[in-house]
Amino acid sequence: VLFRSVDLIQEGCEVIVAHGNGPQVGMINHAMAALSREDPNQPNTPLSVCVAMSQAYIGYDLQNALREEMYNRDIFDIPVATMVTQVRVDPEDPAFKNPSKPIGHFMTKEQAEYAAKEYGYIVKEDAGRGWRRVVASPLPQEIIEIGAIQTLVDSGQLVIACGGGGIPVVRDYENKGCYKGVPAVIDKDLGGELLAEDCDADVLFLLTAVEHVAINFGKPNQEELEDLTADEAERLADEGQFGKGSMEPKVRAAIKFARSRKGRTCIIGALDKAAETMAGLSGTRIHE
């Protein structure tokens, strides 16, 4: 995928990279919780801080990989920068009333009860596999660092931003309207979509594990889709054709992007066929 990003740069495109952080933020959260259990003087690390940590360390690896690939192609004049990105969410978002996004490791019932008591975690039993912490997944409303991101893009830099959907924050009106983190996670596809809108992108690429969006997925009558209007995609999503925690967020993000401005297209395709997807030989295109 990084190679394909550099392909686009060579073709004269402005590229902005967003990424997920599911495994990484879970690992960081688990490590910080383990530390606080071992050392009673070590306070537990807020989830928002764990998201920030994941953005920085994934960005570090992506920066070096992108820079190396550009150097391999004799491109030496494009700096690469990671922006640790906060995204404002609405504290009244209904998601906060029903936290349902599992994060972190599985726990026994006793461990879950301890985490609920000591850290204030909301915990739920997960399909007979154990207990896990669950948090809200509110909709992204505003990218706090968008001005800085746009300035970097306009200066010719390759920017990595909105990792993991962004660090979820709300306005702290008791502190002059500054921002404070909240225990939540933002869907990476919706965070990336907002970033694409704000940066006035023409195309949003969402790369995943399958080559096409499909209806009747996994069934004998599965049908792969190559081209959809936003209205068609919305109808299928409303019918429940797409997995809640997998394909549906991507399709919803694609619909929002396609409708945000005339001429915009979202392409959903397979990670291992990024070149074919970007060339129009694979993937599903969603447009107005």
Side-chain angles (χ1 to χ4, degrees), residues 8-19:
L8 289 174
I9 291 169
Q10 286 187 308
E11 292 172 11
C13 298
E14 286 183 342
V15 176
I16 305 168
V17 177
H19 60 82

Side-chain angles (χ1 to χ4, degrees), residues 141-153:
Q141 302 292 331
E142 176 190 8
I143 298 171
I144 306 305
E145 286 78 20
I146 190 61
I149 293 168
Q150 192 63 66
T151 297
L152 291 171
V153 172

